Amino acid sequence: MKAGAARRMLALVRRYMYLLRGSWPRILELAYWPTVQMVVWGFVTQFFVGHSTWVANAAGVLIGAVLLWDVLFRGQMGFSLCFLEEMWSRNLGHLFVSPLRPWELIGAAMIMSLLRTCIGLAPSWVLAWVLFEFSVLSYGPGVVAFFTCLTVMGWGIGMTVTAMVIRFGLGAESLAWVAIFAFAPISAVYYPVATLPGWLQPVAWATPSAYVFEGMRAVMVDGVFRADLLAGAVVVNVIYLVIGATVFAAAFASARSNGKLLQVGE
C-alpha cells in the first residue's frame, strides 16, 4: 500500500473517530446492545433454572410475551418515525411555518403509530395462530386493555426520544431504535418481576410494561384478570405521557426560539 493511500485512510479513520467522540449517543450504542442482551437473557436463565416446569405448564406464554413486546416496540417506533421522516427530508421547519401546531403533529403521529402497529403485527399474529394455534385475543378483552397500555407507553417514550433528536440533532436518531430496549430487563417480559434483585424491583414497577406483562401471565397461567395491574399500568402511563409531553414541549420551544427547526436535518 502506498504511503498516500495509507494517509488518506487514516485521515478518514480520524474523521470518524472525531464524529464518534463528539456524539455520546453513538458511543453509548457501542456498548448498549451487548449489555441489554446479556442482562435480559441472564435473568431469563436465572428464572428458568428454578422454574423449568412453569413454561411447560403455560403453553404460549413466551409467544404472548414476544407478541406484546412487539406492540410496545412498534408503538414507539411508529411514533418516532413520523418525526424522523420529517427531519430526514428537512421538512420540519416547513411544516411549522404553516398553521400546524405541535400537538396536531403529535396527534397525527399517534394515529400513524396505531396504523403502523396494526399493519406490522398482523402477519406475526396470523403466523402465531397458523403455526402454534396461539391467539392472544383468545384470553379476553383484558388483553386488549394491556395492548392499549403498551401502545400509550410507546408514545410517551417516543415523545422523549423525539425531543432528544430535536435537541441534539440526527446524531441522536439511533435512540429511536435502541431506547425502548433499555426497558426490556425491567419490564419482566419473559419472567416475573420477583426474579429481579430486590433493589431493582421498585424500578420495574415504575414502568407500565411491568404491570402489563405480569397481568398477561396472570391471565395465561392462572386464568385471572388482574384489574389492579391494569390500573397500575394506566396510572404510570399517565406519568409517562406527562413527562414525554413536557420534555417534547421544552425541546421544541428551545429549537423554535433558537431557529434550529430549519437546521434539524443537518
Side-chain angles (χ1 to χ4, degrees), residues 186-212:
I186 57 175
S187 291
V189 182
Y190 306 107
Y191 44 80
V193 173
T195 304
L196 299 173
W199 62 270
L200 195 55
Q201 292 180 23
V203 180
W205 289 121
T207 65
S209 49
Y211 294 90
V212 170

Side-chain angles (χ1 to χ4, degrees), residues 77-257:
M77 278 301 303
F79 184 96
S80 300
L81 280 174
C82 290
F83 288 89
L84 286 176
E85 286 172 353
E86 300 296 350
M87 294 175 185
W88 290 331
S89 61
R90 299 188 175 101
N91 193 47
L92 200 59
H94 299 153
L95 286 176
F96 287 109
V97 298
S98 73
L100 184 73
R101 287 173 284 187
W103 70 264
E104 295 170 341
L105 181 56
I106 289 176
M110 288 178 174
I111 295 172
M112 280 305 303
S113 171
L114 281 175
L115 294 175
R116 287 176 183 267
T117 300
C118 292
I119 294 171
L121 287 177
S124 60
W125 287 42
V126 170
L127 284 175
W129 171 252
V130 172
L131 298 178
F132 308 108
E133 296 185 358
F134 175 83
S135 173
V136 172
L137 298 179
S138 66
Y139 289 92
V143 174
V144 178
F146 287 133
F147 175 104
T148 304
C149 286
L150 288 175
T151 303
V152 174
M153 177 182 173
W155 293 344
I157 297 172
M159 281 189 280
T160 304
V161 167
T162 303
M164 296 291 284
V165 177
I166 292 175
R167 172 62 181 81
F168 296 103
L170 287 178
E173 67 176 300
S174 60
L175 291 175
W177 281 268
V178 304
I180 196 67
F181 290 96
F183 292 85
I186 57 175
S187 291
V189 182
Y190 306 107
Y191 44 80
V193 173
T195 304
L196 299 173
W199 62 270
L200 195 55
Q201 292 180 23
V203 180
W205 289 121
T207 65
S209 49
Y211 294 90
V212 170
F213 287 106
E214 287 285 1
M216 177 203 70
R217 281 185 287 272
V219 172
M220 293 184 176
V221 178
D222 303 321
V224 176
F225 174 70
R226 295 277 303 275
D228 59 324
L229 291 175
L230 176 61
V234 171
V235 170
V236 180
N237 255 334
V238 171
I239 297 173
Y240 272 54
L241 283 177
V242 170
I243 292 174
T246 302
V247 172
F248 177 86
F252 183 85
S254 175
R256 171 174 275 176
S257 63

